[in-house]
Amino acid sequence: MDRRDFLKKSASGLAAAAIAPSLISCNGLSAKDKKNMKPELKISFQEGTAPGDNLAERFDFMEAHGVTGFEPGGGELAARVPELKSLLSGRNIEVTAICAGFQGFILAEEPETKALFDRTMREIIVAAGELGSCGVIMVPAFNGQKPCKPHTQETRDYLVEELAKLGEFALQHGTTVILEPLNRREAFYLRQVADAAAICRDTQCAGVKCMGDFWHMSEETSDYGAFYSAGEYLQHVHMASRGNRIMPGEDGALDDYRDGFRALQQLGYTGYVSFECGSRGDKTETVPAALELLRHQWEEA
């Protein structure tokens, strides 16, 4: 290569580098645009999070405290669709993700267990689509689910192939499947957000997404890095205290979410942060305190 060719190739390389950030986009926004904006903190509750004797009372509490998302469990979801639609009618609350609820598991060695997963997971996906959910949360295999395919490259290839089929089915019903990494005490197979995002990428299917969970992210070296590694594949976030998986704020100084919130803001994340936790105190006090803490830290981030 002579000097003229070298300079020409160098210039084209610099030009490519200059436009690269604009290619990393979500919702049509460039990386620079996302960095300069602060999305709204949208909060979701699982079914048992808010105080109340029934779901209607819990929805009343949620609306009174500015909580606009609801994350139901997936068990028997198809039968509950009419009830949930009725309870949510006229409210400023939408269904966010669906929390699992299927039977069997995708990496089962036994064909009947895998078939059970396929059937029940698809039933939940159909119901999720009817409710306008952003996706159904799933874990490839919990530690106690055996016999399970071994942790090998062949198993990963199989998982990618199966998820691509499931993701296409989800897209047909207007929703997605969402991979959730857990800590090694619960699920050794998938423990970090970047691994989940890489699997999403390899499926080459828009119906396969991933999420991060602040409590499970004890496996991560950085909340910021974990969320940022997910990029366009990040579909949902779970929230709990950092020590005992109770209400944010009940573990005191441990409950600092600003590093992760900063990443969500820079990504232009428009999904929900959903409470998946209990409480040791009176929920009429601990839940509003948790909401205040998170909103304050979101602003500080």
Side-chain angles (χ1 to χ4, degrees):
M1 183 188 301
D2 61 26
R3 183 172 179 273
R4 179 176 298 174
D5 288 339
F6 173 78
L7 291 174
K8 185 182 298 183
K9 291 181 180 296
S10 298
S12 63
L14 289 170
I19 66 170
S22 66
L23 300 178
I24 308 171
S25 61
C26 180
N27 297 325
L29 298 173
S30 70
K32 182 178 179 181
D33 290 336
K34 287 181 290 182
K35 189 173 182 179
N36 292 332
M37 69 181 290
K38 179 173 285 191
E40 173 192 2
L41 174 62
K42 294 164 59 178
I43 295 176
S44 171
F45 281 177
Q46 289 190 339
E47 297 203 39
T49 302
D53 293 331
N54 53 57
L55 202 48
E57 289 185 4
R58 294 177 194 133
F59 285 159
D60 289 341
F61 180 94
M62 290 163 62
E63 284 194 309
H65 290 82
V67 177
T68 58
F70 170 58
E71 181 185 320
E76 304 299 325
L77 185 64
R80 298 183 64 199
V81 167
E83 173 204 6
L84 293 177
K85 283 186 173 181
S86 176
L87 285 170
L88 291 170
S89 178
R91 292 186 182 271
N92 186 31
I93 299 173
E94 63 180 334
V95 173
T96 59
I98 306 299
C99 191
F102 49 85
Q103 300 174 54
F105 60 109
I106 197 170
L107 294 181
E109 285 275 20
E110 296 174 339
E112 58 270 25
T113 304
K114 172 59 164 55
L116 181 62
F117 166 80
D118 288 336
R119 177 176 59 80
T120 57
M121 182 65 171
R122 280 165 170 75
E123 289 173 354
I124 296 170
I125 287 172
V126 172
E130 290 184 51
L131 291 168
S133 167
C134 69
V136 180
I137 298 168
M138 62 169 288
V139 174
F142 287 89
N143 289 340
Q145 291 180 310
K146 298 177 181 179
C148 179
K149 292 184 179 295
H151 197 304
T152 64
Q153 181 63 48
E154 289 74 17
T155 297
R156 188 185 186 280
D157 293 343
Y158 170 83
L159 177 61
V160 166
E161 182 179 339
E162 291 298 303
L163 284 171
K165 297 175 189 174
L166 203 59
E168 290 297 336
F169 181 80
L171 287 178
Q172 291 170 16
H173 293 276
T175 188
T176 68
V177 294
I178 305 173
L179 287 175
E180 180 177 18
L182 305 182
N183 63 68
R184 69 187 67 214
R185 295 187 301 276
E186 293 189 31
F188 183 81
Y189 188 85
L190 183 63
R191 295 179 291 106
Q192 294 186 304
V193 176
D195 288 338
I199 290 171
C200 295
R201 176 202 63 203
D202 291 350
T203 66
Q204 299 183 34
C205 175
V208 183
K209 301 292 185 180
C210 68
M211 61 173 288
D213 182 311
F214 275 101
W215 189 75
H216 286 299
M217 279 167 26
S218 59
E219 296 284 344
E220 308 282 355
T221 57
S222 162
D223 291 344
Y224 180 97
F227 282 126
Y228 213 84
S229 70
E232 65 187 283
Y233 303 107
L234 187 66
Q235 187 84 331
H236 197 58
V237 173
H238 272 167
M239 170 64 63
S241 71
R242 308 308 298 264
N244 296 290
R245 208 177 189 181
I246 47 182
M247 205 60 59
E250 287 192 278
D251 278 335
L254 283 175
D255 295 341
D256 189 336
Y257 309 96
R258 287 171 291 188
D259 191 46
F261 283 171
R262 191 175 305 114
L264 295 179
Q265 291 174 17
Q266 291 184 10
L267 284 169
Y269 177 70
T270 58
Y272 277 87
V273 174
S274 190
F275 280 43
E276 185 181 52
C277 54
S279 178
R280 288 180 177 166
D282 182 347
K283 284 187 177 181
T284 61
E285 298 178 359
T286 60
V287 176
L291 292 171
E292 182 179 357
L293 172 71
L294 296 190
R295 287 164 177 156
H296 177 69
Q297 289 191 4
W298 184 265
E299 289 304 313
E300 288 192 331

